[in-house]
Amino acid sequence: MDDMLCDELLQEIFRKLPSTPPSSLSVSLVSKRWLNLYRTSKASLSLKFLPHNSMVISLSSLLSHYPSLSFLSLVLSDAADSTSSNNNSSTTAFFDNVLFVVSSSCSNLRHLRFLAGPVSCLSLFSLSKSCSQLTSITASLSRPLFLNWVVSFPCLKELCLHVCSTDGVDDGDKQFGLSLNEELDVKFGLETLCVSGIQADDKGISWLWRNCKRLKKLQLRSCDSVGDGESFASFIWCVEGLEEVELRKCRSIIDRVLLRLAQNCASLISLLIYDGCSREGLLEFITTCRCNLQKLDLRLPLDLNNDHLLAIAMNLRGLLTLRLQSCCLVTGEGLHILGVALNPTLEELALINCDVVDREVGLLATLGQNLRMLRKLDLSYNEMLVDKELISMLVSCNHLTELKLRGCRKLTSMTMVTISKTCKGLQSIDIMNCPGIGAQAVEFFVLNCPQMKQIVVEESKVSDIARTWACHKFIEVTSGS
């Protein structure tokens, strides 16, 4: 029986199997031939490991069985002892050895996620020679920063750098003649850049800003600066063509970044700001920006207020998506004005963990009447939201295709009955952590929603009948996080 299927056919079947442990374990137990074919067909692999010298040899042996890998993720195991690596040079040397193994074993890589530890320029140059087709790299670097190695990857489109705090200069990098201020006549193809942990004395980052003139997406995380003194002047070079910007935990620099975006970026369509922003800086950006912003995602518990909502209503009338999380200072009046202004265009609204939803009776009904064209609605983690308030909004939102109610602990089965009657086009719903919605309501919902494609709910609430009908109607039932 094992010989009836040719290798090529088995490999094609294995490529279509999910990467979950049940599938892979089942295949590996059939025969050694199946195990070898399964490994050679794998295009992606994610590994966690402990930083031990024997691991390098083991990794080399393991990767030799996966010649077709195009995606590889390497991170430290949760059990790794952070105190075992006190010497920075020995730590970097170990992770360099790991990266050398990857370079020699995975010549077909397109995406590499290496977050095990900081690596040196030497190992990255070696990687560029063996894996020249890499389009995405995620890596950790130690200070001081030398970033000229980026030009050695001609196909690179996405770069994510995590800057670690370390002492001393890597003399091995100097052998390549790297200059922090070197101007190269190169045109990066880099389109997405994510950087975390930049400090005010990081000189090397200025070189990157000057040479990234084709960026479409920029992410800054936990950054105290965009580099040394000249870096903000260089920062303008990468701003002009940006379409998406994400700023997380960057309170100390966010005003200056938003000012640069308002003055120099007319192509911005998506902006995300989480956990830190001055009220004045955000208000100035909203009122002066020249872009046609289509998506705005804010998690600013103590910084966002009605003044910002009014400015959005006046100046950002082209918004398609508005996401607000944990916004404690906004009121129903501000949201009402916003709903009236965005009535013709808004397609997605999220009010996640916003106490104004619980605090002001009738708010959702008013929003529903003003935003009848909504297609996606997220009211997750409004724990005091009751059936009556939600239903009063849903009866007006007949075009919904996606609804998220995760963590709304006061909702009951009545909500599910109403959704099945009023939201005929609904395709996806998330009702995880809603204890008032039971198995019987889930079963009724599966039977009565003709367009449904995905339900996120606890497995304990999915009866045999519901599971059978979900399978028959091609509905994906998951308890995903």
Side-chain angles (χ1 to χ4, degrees):
M1 186 69 180
D2 183 33
D3 298 328
M4 293 180 64
L5 299 176
C6 66
D7 290 356
E8 292 78 8
L9 181 57
L10 278 174
Q11 287 178 322
E12 187 63 28
I13 294 172
F14 294 156
R15 289 189 188 100
K16 298 183 182 300
L17 287 177
S19 299
T20 52
S23 299
S24 58
L25 288 175
S26 299
V27 168
S28 64
L29 292 174
V30 174
S31 66
K32 289 185 177 180
R33 173 175 173 251
W34 277 42
L35 174 59
N36 291 332
L37 290 175
Y38 176 74
R39 286 173 169 174
T40 57
S41 68
K42 286 276 288 184
S44 64
L45 186 64
S46 298
L47 300 173
K48 289 185 176 183
F49 64 90
L50 293 171
H52 192 274
N53 289 332
S54 61
M55 174 267 165
V56 177
I57 300 175
S58 300
L59 179 64
S60 178
S61 175
L62 176 66
L63 292 179
S64 67
H65 296 292
Y66 295 88
S68 303
L69 288 181
S70 61
F71 172 89
L72 178 62
S73 174
L74 291 173
V75 298
L76 283 183
S77 169
D78 296 335
D81 183 6
S82 60
T83 64
S84 62
S85 302
N86 296 322
N87 186 287
N88 175 62
S89 60
S90 63
T91 302
T92 302
F94 170 79
F95 293 120
D96 279 351
N97 287 334
V98 175
L99 195 56
F100 282 132
V101 169
V102 173
S103 302
S104 59
S105 305
C106 305
S107 59
N108 296 316
L109 273 186
R110 299 294 185 273
H111 307 273
L112 175 63
R113 182 171 178 264
F114 192 94
L115 291 178
V119 293
S120 68
C121 290
L122 174 64
S123 60
L124 289 165
F125 272 110
S126 176
L127 180 69
S128 69
K129 295 177 181 178
S130 303
C131 304
S132 60
Q133 299 302 310
L134 273 168
T135 60
S136 174
I137 297 177
T138 299
S140 298
L141 301 177
S142 56
R143 292 187 173 89
L145 296 179
F146 296 91
L147 300 175
N148 304 53
W149 54 266
V150 177
V151 300
S152 301
F153 294 90
C155 300
L156 195 62
K157 299 293 183 183
E158 180 177 353
L159 178 62
C160 188
L161 299 177
H162 299 259
V163 182
C164 306
S165 296
T166 56
D167 298 324
V169 177
D170 190 347
D171 292 329
D173 297 337
K174 287 186 174 181
Q175 296 175 9
F176 291 89
L178 299 177
S179 170
L180 293 176
N181 297 310
E182 182 180 355
E183 291 290 349
L184 297 181
D185 185 17
V186 295
K187 293 183 179 179
F188 282 159
L190 205 61
E191 296 178 355
T192 299
L193 177 62
C194 173
V195 188
S196 66
I198 305 176
Q199 296 180 0
D201 55 351
D202 288 331
K203 297 181 180 180
I205 202 72
S206 177
W207 178 89
L208 193 60
W209 299 139
R210 288 196 300 273
N211 288 280
C212 289
K213 300 174 185 178
R214 297 184 180 181
L215 278 186
K216 300 297 182 184
K217 183 175 181 178
L218 175 65
Q219 298 176 328
L220 299 178
R221 300 169 184 258
S222 303
C223 293
D224 295 329
S225 176
V226 294
D228 62 347
E230 66 179 43
S231 292
F232 261 109
S234 303
F235 185 68
I236 298 177
W237 288 97
C238 76
V239 164
E240 292 184 357
L242 286 175
E243 296 177 0
E244 299 179 53
V245 173
E246 297 184 6
L247 306 170
R248 304 171 191 261
K249 297 183 179 179
C250 297
R251 180 180 290 274
S252 59
I253 62 169
I254 200 161
D255 283 0
R256 299 179 69 184
V257 172
L258 289 178
L259 179 62
R260 296 293 190 277
L261 291 174
Q263 293 176 341
N264 302 284
C265 183
S267 55
L268 190 67
I269 59 176
S270 177
L271 176 64
L272 178 149
I273 304 176
Y274 280 4
D275 306 327
C277 180
S278 76
R279 298 181 185 181
E280 297 78 11
L282 179 59
L283 189 61
E284 179 72 13
F285 170 81
I286 295 172
T287 55
T288 62
C289 67
R290 301 181 292 114
C291 58
N292 181 27
L293 203 63
Q294 297 179 18
K295 180 177 180 180
L296 185 60
D297 190 342
L298 304 174
R299 187 173 70 195
L300 303 168
L302 300 178
D303 299 308
L304 188 75
N305 57 33
N306 279 357
D307 292 338
H308 300 102
L309 299 188
L310 297 178
I312 292 172
M314 292 286 291
N315 300 281
L316 302 178
R317 292 178 177 267
L319 276 182
L320 301 178
T321 298
L322 177 63
R323 298 181 59 83
L324 305 179
Q325 299 186 46
S326 305
C327 298
C328 305
L329 303 181
V330 301
T331 68
E333 179 184 1
L335 288 172
H336 171 66
I337 295 173
L338 194 60
V340 173
L342 301 180
N343 175 15
T345 60
L346 199 66
E347 297 180 357
E348 179 179 352
L349 175 65
L351 299 173
I352 302 171
N353 189 29
C354 293
D355 57 359
V356 65
V357 173
D358 307 325
R359 189 174 65 239
E360 302 204 16
V361 177
L363 170 62
L364 292 184
T366 303
L367 288 176
Q369 293 167 7
N370 290 326
L371 301 172
R372 293 178 180 269
M373 300 308 295
L374 277 182
R375 296 188 178 278
K376 297 181 180 181
L377 178 63
D378 190 346
L379 297 174
S380 298
Y381 301 108
N382 291 297
E383 296 189 351
M384 303 306 294
L385 178 62
V386 296
D387 294 327
K388 181 179 178 180
E389 290 296 311
L390 176 61
I391 292 171
S392 68
M393 182 178 189
L394 295 181
V395 294
S396 300
C397 299
N398 299 319
H399 299 283
L400 282 181
T401 60
E402 181 179 307
L403 179 61
K404 295 183 179 181
L405 302 170
R406 176 176 295 222
C408 297
R409 306 184 66 83
K410 292 290 186 178
L411 296 181
T412 70
S413 300
M414 183 189 304
T415 289
M416 303 303 289
V417 174
T418 302
I419 293 173
S420 65
K421 292 180 179 179
T422 60
C423 304
K424 295 295 185 180
L426 198 65
Q427 298 178 11
S428 174
I429 189 169
D430 185 342
I431 49 174
M432 282 286 293
N433 303 324
C434 298
I437 299 175
Q440 189 174 357
V442 174
E443 183 178 309
F444 175 87
F445 190 77
V446 171
L447 293 172
N448 291 276
C449 289
Q451 303 297 321
M452 188 57 54
K453 295 181 180 179
Q454 182 185 54
I455 300 176
V456 183
V457 65
E458 292 89 343
E459 288 188 13
S460 60
K461 295 182 181 180
V462 184
S463 66
D464 292 339
I465 295 176
R467 196 175 299 279
T468 300
W469 273 100
C471 183
H472 179 70
K473 298 171 73 173
F474 301 103
I475 299 175
E476 179 187 5
V477 181
T478 176
S479 57
S481 59

